[in-house]
Amino acid sequence: MKLDQALVDAAVAQLQRRWTPDEPGGAAAVYLDDGRVLTSVALDNMNAGVTLCQETGAYCQAYTLDRRVTASVCVFRTPEDGRFVVLPPCGICQERLALWGPDVEVGVPDPEDPTRWHTRTLAELNPYYWARQFAEGAWPSYAQHSG
C-alpha cells in the first residue's frame, strides 16, 4: 500500500483519541503489505530517556506480525494553533524502517507549507544509507538487517 491521505487520517484519528484538543500530541500510522493499518503513539514519561518515537509501537507490532511496512507517517498537533503537520522520520526511525527496504514510503512536510505533505521513499530520504557499505553497495536485505 502506498502512503495516502487515508493513512494520514488514521494517524490524526489516533492522535485525537489519545490527546485532548488542548494538548500538543503526536501519533503515527503505517500500512502493512497486506493492507492493514497499524497506529501508535509515543510513551510519555517524566524520564525522557524511556520515551519512544510515535512510530515505534506500530513498527514493533508489524515485526511481531511478521508483516512488511510499506508506508509510514507521523503527525503532530502544534500547540500554538492546533494544526496538524507531518513530521519526517527521525534518524532512528529511518534505521527501524530500513529493515523493510529502500522502497518504504514516508511522509515529509512541504518546505513551503508545513500543513501540506509529500511522499518520499526511504532511499530518497537517505540516499547515502550507511549500511550499503556492508552489503556490496546494495540496500541490505531483510535477512541482513534482522539476522
Side-chain angles (χ1 to χ4, degrees), residues 50 84 97 109 117 139:
V50 300
F84 298 101
L97 285 171
W117 57 273
W139 197 277

Side-chain angles (χ1 to χ4, degrees), residues 91-146:
I92 293 170
C93 283
Q94 289 180 47
E95 287 296 328
R96 292 172 179 144
L97 285 171
L99 174 69
W100 293 291
D103 297 327
V104 175
E105 292 187 341
V106 297
V108 298
D110 182 316
E112 303 297 319
D113 179 0
T115 63
R116 297 176 49 90
W117 57 273
H118 299 285
T119 300
R120 297 289 182 266
T121 64
L122 196 55
E124 289 172 323
L125 198 63
N126 192 347
Y128 303 102
Y129 182 49
W130 69 272
R132 294 175 64 162
Q133 303 309 312
F134 301 96
E136 299 177 7
W139 197 277
S141 69
Y142 182 88
Q144 288 170 308
H145 269 289
S146 63

Side-chain angles (χ1 to χ4, degrees), residues 22-127:
D22 61 325
E23 293 180 286
V30 302
Y31 274 132
L32 302 182
D33 57 356
D34 64 3
R36 282 186 280 180
V37 173
L38 303 176
T39 62
S40 57
V41 298
L43 296 173
D44 280 337
N45 195 293
M46 62 189 292
N47 178 349
V50 300
T51 61
L52 297 169
C53 298
Q54 324 292 3
E55 305 96 325
T56 306
Y59 297 166
C60 289
Q61 189 175 4
Y63 190 77
T64 299
L65 294 170
D66 197 23
R67 301 309 310 191
R68 184 176 178 274
V69 170
T70 62
S72 176
V73 67
C74 181
V75 298
F76 182 75
R77 180 174 42 219
T78 62
E80 303 82 28
D81 56 13
R83 65 190 164 111
F84 298 101
V85 295
V86 168
L87 301 177
C90 72
I92 293 170
C93 283
Q94 289 180 47
E95 287 296 328
R96 292 172 179 144
L97 285 171
L99 174 69
W100 293 291
D103 297 327
V104 175
E105 292 187 341
V106 297
V108 298
D110 182 316
E112 303 297 319
D113 179 0
T115 63
R116 297 176 49 90
W117 57 273
H118 299 285
T119 300
R120 297 289 182 266
T121 64
L122 196 55
E124 289 172 323
L125 198 63
N126 192 347

